[in-house]
Structure formats: C-alpha cells, structure tokens
Amino acid sequence: MLVLYGSNLGTAEGIARELADTARYYGFRSEAAPLNDRAGKLPKEGAVFIVSASYNGKPPSNAREFVQWLEATEPGELEGVRYAVFGCGDRNWASTYQQVPRFIDEQLAAKGAIRLVSRGEADAGGDFEKQVEEWSARLWPEAMHALGLRSSGLPQQERSALSIRFVSGPIGTPLADTYGALPATVEENRELQGEGSGRNTRHLEIALPEGAAYREGDHLGILPKNAPELVDRVLRRYGLQGGDHLMVSASGRSAAHLPLDRPISVQDLLSHSVELQEAATRAQLRELAACTVCPPHKKELEALLQEDAYKEKVLDKRLTMLDLLEKYPACELPFERFVELLPPLKPRYYSISSSPKMRRDRASITVGVVRGPARSGLGEYLGVASNYLADRRPGDAIAMFVRTPESGFQLPELAETPIIMVGPGTGVAPFRGFLQARRALLQEGKALGEAHLYFGCRHPQHDYLYREELEQYERDGLVRLHTAFSRAEAGPKAYVQHLIRRDAAKLIDLLDRGAKLYVCGDGSKMAPEVEETFRDAYREARGATEATVQSWLEKLQSEGRYAKDVWAGND
C-alpha cells in the first residue's frame, strides 16, 4: 500500500500518514511519500492512495512534478495501477475547489488505472474531520473487496503504541529538523495599532541566519511554542512537574513530530511538539469516553459524538481535549495516550512585509495578535503563535524558515506591468514589501507601471497600519492609495470591495491591458467578496455572460495575473 500526498501546509500529509498507519493494521506493508517522489514510478501491485490539496487551482510544490508527468502520460500506460483519491479543499474558492485532486483522479482513469473507490472530498469550511472519517470508513471495505481481500476489520480500540519512561538528561525537539528551520534573532518588536483601538498588531524585524534568502511575497514559517499557562493546565491535570524528564518510544504509528528515544522534559515536550488548543476530534472523544469510569459522564462524552452536538458544542466552540479532561476528572486517559492523540504542533506562516532589496539579511512580519473570550466560555483564548511572537523581545531567538507560496504571489518580472493590490488589515503586509521593492527599482532607473493599493481598516486613527510609510510611498509616486474605513465617525461605513466597485471601469481596463491582481488577507469572507466584486465589475463593463466571466477569471489565473495569499481561522 503506497500512500502519496500533495501538501504544503501539512493537512493532506497528515491524512496520508494516518492512512498508511491504518493500512498496517489491515496487514499491508505501507509507506507514505510526496507525490513528486513517485512521478513516473507508480506500482502495479498492491494499491495507491493519493491525498492532495489545491492552491489556486495549482498543485502543491511536492505534487507539481507528478501532475506534469501524469498529464504527459500516454493512454493505457497506467494499466494495472489500482488507486483511490481524496481531496482537501475550501468551497469559499468555488472556481478552483478540488481542482487538483479531481484532475489526478480523472487522469489516472483516462490513462488506464483502475479506480478502487470513488474520489472523496473534504471542505475546510465544513465538518472536515467528519468528511475524512466518512470516506475512510467507505474506503477500506470497498478497496479490500476490489482487491479480492478479506478482513475482520480493525480492533474496536487500538492499543497505544506510545510508551514513556521518566529519566534525567538533556532536551531535544525534532520539528525544527522536519521543516528545515533555522535560528533567527528578533531585532525589533513594536505595536502598530493606535491608542484606543483595543487591538494588538505587532511589527517584528528579524535578523536572518546566514544562508536564508527570500523574495517579496514569500512567507516566513514560525515554529511557536505553547504558552506556559496552557502547559501548566496539563501538568496540573496529570499531577506532573514541568522539570520531570521522560523518554518517549513509539512503534506502529507515525510519531515523527515527537522527540523519540532521548530524554526531554515534560515542559519542553508539551511546549514544542504538540497542539493543545485544537478542537477535540471524534477519535479523541471516543477515547475519552472509553476511559471514563463515571457512567453519567461517559454518556455525556458519548453524546458529544452526535453530529449536531459535535458541531455545536465541540467544533464551533473549539472545545479541546484538555478542556474535557479538566471537566471530567473521572476520565482516566493515560498521559502517554493523551500525548499520542494530540496532533503535531504546526508552524504558522506569515507574509513577509519587507523586501530583500532594502536589506537581504533582515525580514519583517506583521502579526495580528489573537486574543479574546474563548468560544467555549472557558476563560480567554490566546492564539498560539501570535501571542508567542508578541512576547518576543529584541535579542530573543526564534525558529524560522522561508516558504514561497504556490500562488505566484511575486511582483511581475517587468517593472512596467500595472499592479492592483487588495490588502485590508494585516493583508497589507506583502504589499509593504512590494512597495519597498518598487522604490529600489525606481532608484535603479526602472520605469514603473501604474500601482493601486486598496487598504481597509476600522478607523484612520486606530488601525491604519503603516500609515506614514504608505502615504509617503504615494507622495513619491510609487502607488495610488485607496482607503476604506468601516468605523470612522465621518462618512459611511466602507470596505475595500466598495472602493473596487467604485473604480470598476478603470480596474477592468487595467486588467485588460495586462495588469496583475493580488488579494491578501481574510479568506473566509473578504477575499471571496472581493473576487465576486471583480466578477460583477467585468460582467457589467463587458455585458458578459456568467460563462464568459468565469472564463475571464480562469484566464487571469492560468496566466499568473491573479494571485491570492489568503487565510482563515485563528492562529
């Protein structure tokens, strides 16, 4: 059983590794690997499961070569290959939703491979875990039947494959190795919000280690650590001391994120290796219920597994496994099983808000600090990475790495190409880097194309990020600023899409003349509404049908003239 993945941010890879683990319980010899590793080398014995995401309709970086090879493969060349495909996506981006997994599925079938199970889909904006579970539940019996195999099924409850011994010795964390992270130094950390805004946005200047390089539009990946207060809750629940040292061993399950077979303190294990604030999964709930000796509490936990209850009381409220362990002291889930059930601590990605043309050895990021009442009603929620970064002081070390997004979010090769930038709130970050680069290009004597920046915030005195800089760039002729304020005392409430609608005719004309469009920021509401505004603008300006509008948008994307750098959710 070969399980391949196309994944930039780790979600598809996590599903693939879980499938490979499950395959071993069914008796398969299995491995998980990136799709690129098997371009031109799909096995014709056993089966191949593929899990992939899409990025603006394009494959993840570790799947690009595979997709190119698959497209060039001759019909009939893949006869004998047996496969199943699962796609990760987000329906907010309807035009490219599931585009890459759908393409892989269709191409494999067209080139002679045998589909074992119909393609599965999971929507990041829906009940993602449930959709994965439902496909997995269908996958195994259908695949086993198609392969002519019989199985008595998985055990009702898998034995923990993790063991822990308390010891003394040095510490270690493997996640930095996984991502190729390097130590960097915080040089500056300052507040960008004005007095009275009630919010917190930090500008961090980071001295890069030797060998680290970036371009405008790249991301800085940060490996955060869980807050001490959060770790202390775990320690209290299990009666442990942070300074206690332990040795983790694992077999049979993927535990690459854990520091195996070497001494580490409990404090460091919980701080650097696992996510403690993600909503409890159904698998975690089932385990908690199974380990609860009080019958009424056991029933309460089992009731949370019902579809409506799970969404309303667990998923929407971000109720964590730790919250439930604290609520139900009769749950006797062992500490090693608790650690094993926790997902790996993920890096957080921030758009770099500077240009290497200013200083190659330094990069800045713009961090909106997530802090507010917890949806669960249990105290305050603190975003893991944003609060970690907000607390860093000049001279502090952080673990970081550079990633280039798959969206083509870079300045045009020709400086005279017009650009349209849409970035409300912290979405302005990469455009600050763009404008720094344009200043450097102008100083080099390059002719610059027209540039427009649509920026939105609540109030001009509170959260107009980088206001003095941006207004200076406009005075210097580097950009035309268009600002929307949603809570200013004077004037009507406005968002960036209102200004885009106002300037629709000019913007459509610019795009027709080869301009490049960039959208950065909230992907759950702002970015889809901005895209819809451009669709409406083109429809009205050209009297176009819906099919023509769709074709126009797809052409912009295929030509690399529409790039998105968007995100959703808390950090």
Side-chain angles (χ1 to χ4, degrees):
M1 180 71 69
L2 176 63
V3 188
L4 301 175
Y5 55 84
S7 178
N8 271 351
L9 302 182
T11 302
E13 180 179 352
I15 295 169
R17 293 193 180 281
E18 186 68 24
L19 287 172
D21 287 340
T22 304
R24 285 192 280 276
Y25 282 98
Y26 277 108
F28 288 94
R29 185 175 66 254
S30 70
E31 67 170 296
L35 278 159
N36 283 349
D37 286 5
R38 287 304 186 116
K41 296 180 290 186
L42 288 183
K44 296 189 177 183
E45 59 180 22
V48 181
F49 293 168
I50 293 174
V51 186
S52 183
S54 300
Y55 293 88
N56 300 315
K58 297 176 181 176
S61 55
N62 56 10
R64 191 183 305 131
E65 294 166 22
F66 180 90
V67 169
Q68 290 169 349
W69 162 75
L70 188 58
E71 190 171 17
T73 301
E74 295 295 327
E77 195 172 327
L78 299 182
E79 287 183 5
V81 173
R82 293 172 290 188
Y83 76 94
V85 174
F86 187 82
C88 306
D90 188 335
R91 286 190 188 276
N92 281 316
W93 304 102
S95 62
T96 58
Y97 179 67
Q98 299 287 338
Q99 195 160 307
V100 171
R102 184 183 299 113
F103 177 83
I104 291 173
D105 182 39
E106 292 171 352
Q107 285 291 306
L108 285 167
K111 303 302 168 64
I114 299 168
R115 184 186 292 115
L116 296 173
V117 183
S118 59
R119 178 171 52 85
E121 294 184 356
D123 172 22
D127 193 340
F128 190 90
E129 184 207 355
K130 180 171 183 285
Q131 291 161 347
V132 174
E133 280 193 353
E134 287 178 345
W135 184 77
S136 296
R138 179 164 57 85
L139 168 72
W140 291 108
E142 291 187 23
M144 297 286 278
H145 177 74
L147 292 168
L149 301 173
R150 296 180 61 187
S151 171
S152 57
L154 283 175
Q156 284 296 309
Q157 184 177 336
E158 299 166 5
R159 276 184 55 232
S160 173
L162 205 70
S163 63
I164 286 177
R165 285 188 298 124
F166 287 85
V167 296
S168 298
I171 64 170
T173 54
L175 277 174
D177 295 335
T178 301
Y179 292 97
L182 299 168
T185 306
V186 174
E187 294 285 325
E188 180 184 340
N189 186 347
R190 60 184 169 90
E191 179 59 59
L192 292 174
Q193 296 274 342
E195 188 176 344
S197 80
R199 294 191 295 168
N200 188 204
T201 303
R202 309 297 300 187
H203 174 85
L204 278 81
E205 293 279 344
I206 297 165
L208 300 177
E210 190 174 343
Y214 73 97
R215 295 185 295 172
E216 301 87 9
D218 280 353
H219 291 163
L220 208 63
I222 301 291
L223 291 179
K225 57 184 288 191
N226 289 310
E229 299 82 1
L230 197 58
V231 173
D232 286 345
R233 288 173 57 195
V234 181
L235 298 176
R236 283 196 301 273
R237 175 60 176 82
Y238 279 100
L240 300 172
Q241 298 296 317
D244 290 345
H245 279 68
L246 46 80
M247 189 93 79
V248 180
S249 301
S251 62
R253 305 282 291 182
S254 176
H257 62 290
L258 298 175
L260 301 176
D261 303 316
R262 49 181 158 154
I264 184 171
S265 73
V266 181
Q267 182 84 31
D268 284 326
L269 174 70
L270 296 172
S271 297
H272 296 283
S273 298
V274 290
E275 293 281 0
L276 294 173
Q277 290 199 125
E278 289 196 355
T281 65
R282 287 183 176 82
Q284 290 171 346
L285 281 171
R286 282 192 286 267
E287 197 89 12
L288 291 171
C291 294
T292 299
V293 295
C294 172
H297 287 176
K298 185 186 188 77
K299 285 186 178 179
E300 286 182 27
L301 284 164
E302 288 173 340
L304 292 176
L305 288 163
Q306 301 302 312
E307 186 169 341
D308 291 343
Y310 177 74
K311 185 177 186 311
E312 179 186 342
K313 297 180 180 179
V314 180
L315 207 55
D316 291 348
K317 291 187 175 181
R318 296 179 67 94
L319 196 66
T320 68
M321 188 161 56
L322 178 56
D323 292 333
L324 292 165
L325 278 167
E326 290 174 327
K327 182 177 180 180
Y328 297 108
C331 178
E332 298 179 354
L333 183 75
F335 179 65
E336 59 265 33
R337 187 60 175 152
F338 170 72
V339 172
E340 185 178 17
L341 286 168
L342 291 169
L345 184 64
K346 296 186 295 291
R348 271 59 168 181
Y349 295 87
Y350 295 91
S351 299
I352 296 177
S353 56
S354 58
S355 168
K357 291 182 173 63
M358 296 283 288
R359 282 191 63 174
R360 291 192 172 278
D361 61 347
R362 183 176 289 202
S364 67
I365 55 176
T366 307
V367 180
V369 181
V370 179
R371 185 171 195 150
R375 293 182 198 167
S376 63
L378 303 172
E380 191 174 37
Y381 178 87
L382 303 179
V384 175
S386 62
N387 283 275
Y388 165 73
L389 289 169
D391 290 341
R392 297 310 94 195
R393 296 291 173 259
D396 283 354
I398 59 171
M400 51 67 60
F401 55 96
V402 175
R403 285 290 183 271
T404 298
E406 292 302 304
S407 54
F409 210 90
Q410 279 91 37
L411 280 167
E413 290 184 17
L414 299 175
E416 59 265 30
T417 301
I419 59 174
I420 302 164
M421 301 170 282
V422 183
T426 55
V428 75
F431 303 132
R432 179 177 182 263
F434 283 14
L435 294 174
Q436 287 184 357
R438 281 172 66 83
R439 182 186 293 285
L441 290 169
L442 189 65
Q443 290 169 348
E444 293 170 10
K446 300 281 179 64
L448 299 181
E450 196 171 334
H452 295 265
L453 172 59
Y454 288 83
F455 173 77
C457 62
R458 294 182 177 183
H459 193 285
Q461 304 305 319
H462 293 166
D463 55 349
Y464 191 158
L465 308 182
Y466 302 112
R467 179 173 184 170
E468 291 181 8
E469 286 183 45
L470 295 178
E471 291 179 346
Q472 186 62 51
Y473 286 133
E474 184 171 44
R475 286 192 292 270
D476 294 343
L478 295 168
V479 68
R480 173 74 189 279
L481 281 177
H482 309 271
T483 51
F485 305 111
S486 62
R487 298 189 186 177
E489 293 87 356
K493 174 189 276 193
Y495 296 101
V496 287
Q497 50 266 42
H498 298 138
L499 304 187
I500 292 167
R501 189 173 294 118
R502 177 199 68 191
D503 299 340
K506 177 178 178 59
L507 295 177
I508 296 302
D509 181 62
L510 272 177
L511 288 167
D512 282 349
R513 291 192 282 116
K516 184 166 181 177
L517 170 63
Y518 305 87
V519 178
C520 183
D522 166 48
S524 60
K525 186 172 174 63
M526 178 280 296
E529 289 184 5
V530 165
E531 183 172 295
E532 191 58 38
T533 302
F534 273 100
R535 294 171 69 99
D536 292 342
Y538 187 80
R539 186 184 298 109
E540 293 167 15
R542 298 290 179 265
T545 64
E546 187 57 38
T548 305
V549 171
Q550 183 62 28
S551 176
W552 169 73
L553 198 65
E554 289 174 358
K555 186 168 184 280
L556 285 181
Q557 291 173 326
S558 66
E559 292 176 350
R561 294 198 296 115
Y562 175 22
K564 294 173 282 195
D565 183 2
V566 299
W567 57 85
N570 296 329
D571 76 343

